[in-house]
Amino acid sequence: MAKVPTEHEEQAFLIRRAWFERGKYPKLQLMFAVPNGGLRNKVVARKLKLEGLKAGVPDLILPVARGGYFGFYLEMKRLKGSTTADEQKEWHAALQEEGYKVMVCKGAEVAWFELLEYLKMPKTDFKPV
């Protein structure tokens, strides 16, 4: 039986692909990760929490306005054996209410497809105050 890639492996593959395709899709250079996952010792965890790290925030953010949205939040999951925590669902709902597109993607291929579909949308027209 083939090994199912971890969420880390899926996300790292997606980021690597975005880097290689940055010439074709330059807006992907704006995408960044939120370091919520992973095991940390108590000192580091406390420091990050004091700096504003919050559980449930999606893994990747693309601050590019398209299709009436103000940006795209992406929650990465592995292909099998992953679930969305209640804190994540709460964040997703709150972000959607504020005008952001939020997707939960199982695997890098699905995430890549969704990123490209998002970038194909027309630029969101808004005027800053």
Side-chain angles (χ1 to χ4, degrees):
M1 182 177 228
K3 176 186 171 276
V4 177
T6 64
E7 183 177 310
H8 162 77
E9 291 168 333
E10 294 285 4
Q11 185 168 324
F13 180 79
L14 178 67
I15 293 298
R16 194 166 46 251
R17 186 169 186 181
W19 187 84
F20 281 114
E21 297 281 353
R22 70 191 184 282
K24 190 173 181 181
Y25 307 103
K27 293 294 183 185
L28 288 178
Q29 294 181 80
L30 295 173
M31 187 167 57
F32 62 94
V34 176
N36 273 347
L39 298 175
R40 298 181 175 93
N41 67 48
K42 290 180 182 180
V43 173
V44 172
R46 177 156 170 72
K47 282 182 177 181
L48 290 173
K49 189 173 182 179
L50 288 171
E51 292 175 3
L53 190 69
K54 295 186 179 195
V57 175
D59 299 307
L60 295 167
I61 301 170
L62 180 62
V64 174
R66 294 284 186 274
Y69 297 104
F70 296 113
F72 187 28
Y73 284 78
L74 190 89
E75 179 65 41
M76 292 296 301
K77 296 294 180 191
R78 64 191 306 185
L79 291 171
K80 293 181 183 177
S82 63
T83 59
T84 305
D86 289 341
E87 287 175 320
Q88 291 173 320
K89 291 176 186 175
E90 290 167 11
W91 268 101
H92 298 171
L95 290 165
Q96 288 170 334
E97 188 176 307
E98 293 300 323
Y100 294 94
K101 183 170 180 70
V102 179
M103 296 285 305
V104 177
C105 294
K106 290 195 172 202
E109 289 301 318
V110 171
W112 181 250
F113 174 82
E114 294 297 342
L115 279 168
L116 295 186
E117 289 299 302
Y118 183 77
L119 289 173
K120 288 177 190 174
M121 291 188 214
K123 188 174 181 179
T124 299
D125 186 27
F126 67 93
K127 293 186 172 128
V129 267

